Amino acid sequence: GVLNFKCPAGQSISSITSQHHNHYEDRVWDFGCQANNGQSESCFWTSYVNDFDQVIFFECPAQHVIAGMSSYHSNHHEDRRWRFNCCRSNCISANCHWTSYVNSFDEYFHWTVPSRNVLVGTQSYHQNREEWLVFVCVCVCVCVCACVNRLKSLD
């Protein structure tokens, strides 16, 4: 099937839920969104970032967050190709890190972006007959502090 998900304007993806179905050798995906101070409506869709049966290693450009995901499934390959929606945000620090695995093969998972962080990238690899292992890249969002400091400097 085809998946197209985009958060409302000013929001980025805050959670990822995925349930694997052995019969279809595919996953059902669901996403949550969070509002981010400083996030603009300047967004774009990438082209597809992977070929079937290949790894995904993706990060939005600097100062951008992931606000949407789109993919389609191939029954022949039992795999998906993915593209991402990236939106500009002025409040992302350079303090980014990759998580460890957020799931095991064929396993249900629900992952939530840590507080005051934003999702900026995703990495995963695929094994035939056993679907995705997923890593995610999160970045600290420090917009609130930056805005407070800016206001104090006006005094």
Side-chain angles (χ1 to χ4, degrees), residues 104-120:
S104 299
F105 285 123
D106 288 3
E107 179 185 75
Y108 167 89
F109 72 91
H110 175 79
W111 179 83
T112 301
V113 175
S115 175
R116 293 175 56 84
N117 283 250
V118 288
L119 179 66
V120 297

Side-chain angles (χ1 to χ4, degrees), residues 15-84:
S15 66
I16 304 172
T17 304
S18 181
Q19 175 71 55
H20 183 262
H21 285 270
N22 285 321
H23 176 71
Y24 296 106
E25 280 302 325
D26 191 19
R27 285 183 168 273
V28 176
W29 297 86
D30 190 31
F31 303 97
C33 298
Q34 66 183 5
N36 296 319
N37 291 329
Q39 183 174 321
S40 76
E41 294 183 32
S42 173
C43 304
F44 68 92
W45 283 99
T46 66
S47 55
Y48 287 100
V49 301
N50 67 306
D51 290 320
F52 291 119
D53 295 337
Q54 301 298 313
V55 299
I56 294 174
F57 190 93
F58 174 77
E59 284 185 65
C60 283
Q63 302 295 114
H64 284 72
V65 298
I66 295 180
M69 299 189 189
S70 176
S71 68
Y72 68 94
H73 183 259
S74 162
N75 288 328
H76 173 71
H77 294 277
E78 298 296 4
D79 194 15
R80 285 184 170 271
R81 294 187 71 200
W82 290 86
R83 62 193 188 112
F84 298 90

